[in-house]
Amino acid sequence: MKKTVSIILSLLFIISMFAGCTSQHADNDKKVLEPTGSETIEALYPSEKTVSIHSEKQNSYLNNKPSRISLYARGQKPLCKPEPVSFEWVYNGDVSGNNEYTLSLSENEDMKDAVHYTTSSESMTVTMPVYNLKIDTTYYWTVSDGSSTSSVCEFTTEAQAPRNMNVDGVKNVRDLGGWQTESGKRTKQGLIYRCGRLNESSADKPNIEITDEGIKTMCRELGIKSEIDLRKTRDGETGAINSSPLGNRVTYYSFPMEWEGDTFNENKQEILKVFELLSNPENYPVIFHCNIGTDRTGMIAYLLNALLGVSEEDLIRDYLFSNFADIGGLRNMNNLKKSVYYKSVHSAQGNSLSEKTYNCLLKFGVQRAQLDAIIDILSAD
């Protein structure tokens, strides 16, 4: 009898364990929404998926040898914008009117520090495109109509850099962060961006080309605090501006550089000023640009990411990615490899490219404390 009771108790214990596991699994499943038809708002896509931010041509280039850039872009068409992430949800309430929705997007599962987007629709199924998400990042999102909110969905963006951006009225925009380094970590995203000009170059009076929507993206979404303009002032290349087109909350720095010849040594004082500015964490987030964002901008981008430990192949890949913008013609690997700054870095002492870059810039005149500060600011924790 005792043996029988013991067996029964054991079976009941096992059954209770499975019931507990099933209940716990069900609770976990609530974090990842599956359409049930019972919620007022059902978030459909993306959910537990890896989503791409690159176009088909961009992905083809990024998954091939950088030297084959001309197969995908030749610097003559505006192909540089990323693909948006299209959020989709179903509203099971009354759709007789024009319903207002708020899409909340966060890097935290508890939706802390969420960014909010609004849209309206008369349809039951709603799709909303969102640009400029970080790469290799898990996001959580909900949708609300003001009275009800969907369950939390999550997804992860693809890991392939660069994080190219969509800023209306500005070409050739991308985050310098997101590249994998020799340490296996990624450089920090959301701190420093390279781009083309914000206003017309060589104009008699200011002609702002970035649109109001682009300014909103730069200021509200990216939180830009400093603009570094590398265009020349002596011949009026800066387009008659003396402050940032982004408004008086953004500090404007003019460090005029020559774009022909030895852009490294001939622009020494300006390069030193750039590195001094970037060594102060209070100046971030930063944008820097010349005219179309390729040569002078490309030089600063190369030096910074080489310093941080980005691989030679990825440095070339980023340089050539500018061909997806309308930059007036093809840039190839020779444009980079024949430059004095490239040769100076590769001829410097060091066991790695980052060490060579560090020693090259130290010899060039950048202070050691500034180099260390920049590495600390822009490297992943």
Side-chain angles (χ1 to χ4, degrees), residues 43-64:
L44 298 181
Y45 180 85
S47 175
E48 270 201 323
K49 299 178 184 294
T50 299
V51 298
S52 174
I53 65 165
H54 297 127
S55 69
E56 184 176 344
K57 280 190 175 182
Q58 291 168 4
N59 269 324
S60 295
Y61 164 67
L62 294 173
N63 290 298
N64 213 319

Side-chain angles (χ1 to χ4, degrees), residues 81 132 165-171 173 210 214-215 217-218 222:
K81 290 183 178 181
N132 301 335
M165 315 286 290
N166 177 30
V167 179
D168 197 45
V170 185
K171 65 178 68 174
V173 188
I210 184 172
I215 292 174
T217 300
M218 285 278 195
L222 305 183

Side-chain angles (χ1 to χ4, degrees), residues 154-190:
E154 68 177 271
F155 66 96
T156 301
T157 51
E158 66 178 341
Q160 180 67 278
R163 179 194 177 200
N164 49 314
M165 315 286 290
N166 177 30
V167 179
D168 197 45
V170 185
K171 65 178 68 174
N172 205 16
V173 188
R174 52 192 184 273
D175 195 331
L176 229 64
W179 292 98
Q180 193 167 21
T181 66
E182 57 198 20
S183 69
K185 297 181 179 181
R186 292 185 182 275
T187 51
K188 287 183 182 176
Q189 300 177 68

Side-chain angles (χ1 to χ4, degrees), residues 12 40 44 68-69 86 106 154 187 198 225 245 249 251 264 270 280 294-295 352 358 377:
L12 289 172
T40 303
L44 298 181
R68 297 185 177 180
I69 178 63
S86 294
S106 174
E154 68 177 271
T187 51
L198 277 59
K225 293 171 68 175
R249 292 187 178 182
T251 306
F264 190 48
E270 287 70 29
N280 185 349
T294 56
D295 299 316
S352 65
Y358 189 101
I377 293 167

Side-chain angles (χ1 to χ4, degrees), residues 5 28 41 62-63 84 118 121 170 208 223 232 241 248 256 278 371:
V5 172
N28 289 337
I41 303 176
L62 294 173
N63 290 298
T118 58
S121 176
V170 185
I208 308 304
K232 294 186 291 183
I241 65 168
N248 55 19
L278 296 179
L371 293 172

